[in-house]
Amino acid sequence: MERMEKFIDNLPPMDLMRSEKMTLVQLIIPVESAHRAISYLGELGLLQFRDLNAEKSPFQRTFVNQVKRCGEMSRKLRFFKDQISKAGLLSSLHPVVEPDVELEELEIQLAEHEHELIEMNSNSEKLRQTYNELLEFKIVLQKAGGFLVSSNNHAVDEERELSENVYSNDGYVETASLLEQEMRPADQSGLRFISGIICKSKALRFERMLFRATRGNMLFNHAPAGEEIMDPVSAEMVEKTVFVVFFSGEQAKTKILKICEAFGANCYPVPDDISKQRQITREVLSRLSELETTLDAGIRHRNKALTSVGYHLTHWMSMVRREKAVYDTLNMLNFDVTKKCLVGEGWCPIFAKAQIQEALQRATFDSNSQVGIIFHVMDAVESPPTYFRTNRFTNAYQEIVDAYGVARYQESNPAVYTVITFPFLFAVMFGDWGHGICLLLGALVLIARESRLSTQKLGSFMEMLFGGRYVLLLMSLFSIYCGLIYNEFFSVPFHIFGGSAYKCRDATCRDAQSAGLIKFRDPYPFGVDPSWRGSRSELPFLNSLKMKMSILLGVAQMNLGIILSYFNARFFRNSLDIRYQFVPQMIFLNSLFGYLSLLIIIKWCTGSQADLYHVMIYMFLSPTDDLGDNELFWGQRPLQIVLLLLALVAVPWMLFPKPFILKKLHSERFQGRTYGMLGTSEFDLDVEPDSARQHHEEFNFSEVFVHQMIHSIEFVLGAVSNTASYLRLWALSLAHSELSTVFYEKVLLLAWGYDNIVIRLVGLAVFAFATAFILLMMETLSAFLHALRLHWVEFQNKFYHD
């Protein structure tokens, strides 16, 4: 045991296995070099500052005015960005490299640009409003003039018909003359009209309101405008309707004008005289032409100004964000007593101290400060933050792990193993080397365009896909590997590694009712023999293979999780967790499911026909009974009894000793029986870290015992449920294989059986669509999520601390 411990201690440390060693540092920065020092440290990205002004509100901090100015500049830049997008222009994706301007100079430039743009927008809105009014006036003149001409012609025709009827009857000559004399003055003095234009969506309600307000004493004519007009409020093109309302009386006129105002209808005067209408129309057309020229010139000038802003927009936005981040960080620092220096504290990795000191020296030199920046290490009481160094390849795997929970400081990092186990478990469910090649091509395209895609703004789905490009790469490679083991290429087996070990018993071999295959030579060298495909034993054979393989992989990964808990306990020098948590957990898991894995391997190696279900069930129900034909090796029955007793002993071993030992250690510590050397850390490394946090708190035995009982019950039940959960590897692999087979046989082969080229093309298109969207997209997502669950729930809960 001692030799093993020495061997483990002498192993070289792994970069990803533990988080970087951190140290607490203090910076004393002269005021004149503070801004540049924080800017350089931010570009380095290896120092996490502590907030020394946590008790102050954001408005009470030293650099609150500079933060407000940066916020105001950010608002102006967002305004420019919105204006550029509304104008249909594109800001420069690759801005010219230019030196940073001072914040005050940039603030003046942005204010000038904003004032210029607001003024141009205001003038443009006024011109656009005038243009819209003239355009509406022109349309009303055209449409309403037609109404008036047609109504006048209709009145003349009616008058002519009435005169003919009256004068043809001599008995009514006098009466007709009197009626004519009464009607004509009324037409000339009482009938009026109002013309205007209204949105098409409001026309029907507008007409109803007019009818009710005038009690039907009006005539409403309308016609579509014929062209869309820009709404000045929403800047959208809307359809409008021209209307003419004929009425009589001053009171009706007042009501109609109020209703027009309420519905947002614009009223325009239309003269009765046709010559006047033509003259006004010519004047309106002349002014419209002038306004169009003016508007086009204004738009060109505005687009030119926006283009010049857009050329620098990306650089300015980056600069303002950086300045705001610098001042937010400066607000976390404190002034010293003399008010000439800023004092800051923060965490940094030990390896980064030289880089930080070099950045601080550069800041002192560039700011022409006479006093250097003081950098020294402090003793820390609280636990440091967790920091992992990652690269483009390992970053995605680290994010998968961190999505479950960030490890404690110096706790084992499962991302080391996730780099391999995650894509491998995915491939076990997705195994098909044809589909794997498709995924590989997609991953290679993303990696080949990495430099270009990293600078572009991608959508949410594409950004997620690009971030996981190296995960996709390994998933595709392992899918090809597992597909070769399953011998499936779009569900079709191939004789890649030689001939089959089986041959047909008779001519009806491939018939479902046949006796099947017989073995006539050595086994197929790699993967599943292609002759299993289409035979009567295919499904039972593959089910048995994949189910047993899932159990083996699950037990291996759970054992890895428990072993990581041992390395955690050893690293933190927590002997209680090793003796009363790691050891009984290993005994319990391997006494049951480790033994099952051993039986599976022995059965594979010996070709035994033993029923493993029967063996495991009667190991609990009748451990002393004779195994009979289910005996796989000599001494199996006494071994099962020993393993069962060990599993039963492991449960109280996990549950009882640890809480009582913690209680004893606590009572001895505070009764003066145990003394230790004074140190700089509050952690007593000989005791569990949980209890170390309670140095100044009362020890609650019942709470500790209940917590340990929950943890023990959870592990015992989880050992069963987690092993069963790994059977999803078998289920999804079977589902993927069967779906591939269905699409191949029932779509592609069925369509290929026809001599019609159209049917074949349709079948090929359906097969390609099903393969791309169901097997390559939905199945990939499904296998990814299940692999994620196996890592988060079944693997990482074995060693991550609560």
Side-chain angles (χ1 to χ4, degrees), residues 85-135:
S85 61
K86 285 180 182 179
L89 304 174
L90 293 175
S91 58
S92 177
L93 296 176
H94 302 285
V96 66
V97 179
E98 55 182 319
D100 290 342
V101 296
E102 293 294 331
L103 191 65
E104 291 77 9
E105 184 181 346
L106 178 60
E107 191 173 15
I108 294 171
Q109 289 184 28
L110 295 181
E112 291 175 352
H113 286 302
E114 185 188 31
H115 178 72
E116 183 183 5
L117 270 176
I118 290 175
E119 188 174 355
M120 285 191 290
N121 288 342
S122 177
N123 294 335
S124 178
E125 286 175 6
K126 291 177 183 177
L127 289 172
R128 175 60 64 181
Q129 187 175 1
T130 306
Y131 178 82
N132 286 343
E133 290 174 356
L134 288 173
L135 184 60

Side-chain angles (χ1 to χ4, degrees), residues 515-641:
L517 304 169
I518 57 172
K519 187 174 182 180
F520 73 100
R521 62 179 177 188
D522 292 337
Y524 192 67
F526 184 84
V528 176
D529 195 304
S531 294
W532 286 107
R533 177 61 184 268
S535 68
R536 187 175 60 182
S537 306
E538 176 191 9
L539 200 57
F541 171 75
L542 291 179
N543 274 345
S544 175
L545 171 68
K546 293 180 179 180
M547 181 173 62
K548 292 180 174 64
M549 183 180 65
S550 300
I551 293 174
L552 291 177
L553 294 175
V555 172
Q557 191 174 31
M558 287 191 291
N559 271 293
L560 175 62
I562 299 174
I563 291 171
L564 286 181
S565 72
Y566 165 78
F567 284 106
N568 274 339
R570 179 174 175 76
F571 181 82
F572 291 112
R573 290 182 170 82
N574 193 339
S575 58
L576 286 182
D577 278 353
I578 296 176
R579 295 170 189 165
Y580 305 109
Q581 199 159 298
F582 164 73
V583 174
Q585 284 181 358
M586 288 292 289
I587 290 174
F588 182 85
L589 181 67
N590 291 291
S591 295
L592 302 180
F593 300 104
Y595 174 63
L596 174 61
S597 303
L598 177 65
L599 293 181
I600 290 172
I601 295 173
I602 292 175
K603 184 177 179 180
W604 279 349
C605 294
T606 60
S608 172
Q609 298 297 317
D611 185 359
L612 298 186
Y613 294 109
H614 184 277
V615 173
M616 292 304 297
I617 290 172
Y618 284 92
M619 177 180 174
F620 293 93
L621 296 181
S622 303
T624 58
D625 289 356
D626 187 21
L627 294 174
D629 294 337
N630 292 320
E631 186 171 359
L632 288 164
F633 55 89
W634 180 85
Q636 183 178 353
R637 187 175 62 177
L639 176 62
Q640 288 185 175
I641 295 174

Side-chain angles (χ1 to χ4, degrees), residues 32-33 36-37 40 358-369:
E32 62 271 14
S33 57
R36 200 175 294 271
Y40 288 173
E358 189 272 333
L360 295 177
Q361 291 173 3
R362 190 155 45 91
T364 303
F365 178 78
D366 292 346
S367 58
N368 297 321
S369 176

Side-chain angles (χ1 to χ4, degrees), residues 487 494-501 521 524-526 529-530:
N487 202 348
F494 283 89
H495 293 77
I496 303 174
F497 301 101
S500 172
R521 62 179 177 188
Y524 192 67
F526 184 84
D529 195 304

Side-chain angles (χ1 to χ4, degrees), residues 170-189:
D170 296 335
Y172 292 97
V173 173
E174 188 176 352
T175 307
S177 300
L178 290 172
L179 181 62
E180 185 180 6
Q181 290 173 5
E182 289 178 1
M183 287 180 63
R184 286 176 182 171
D187 291 339
Q188 293 174 1
S189 63

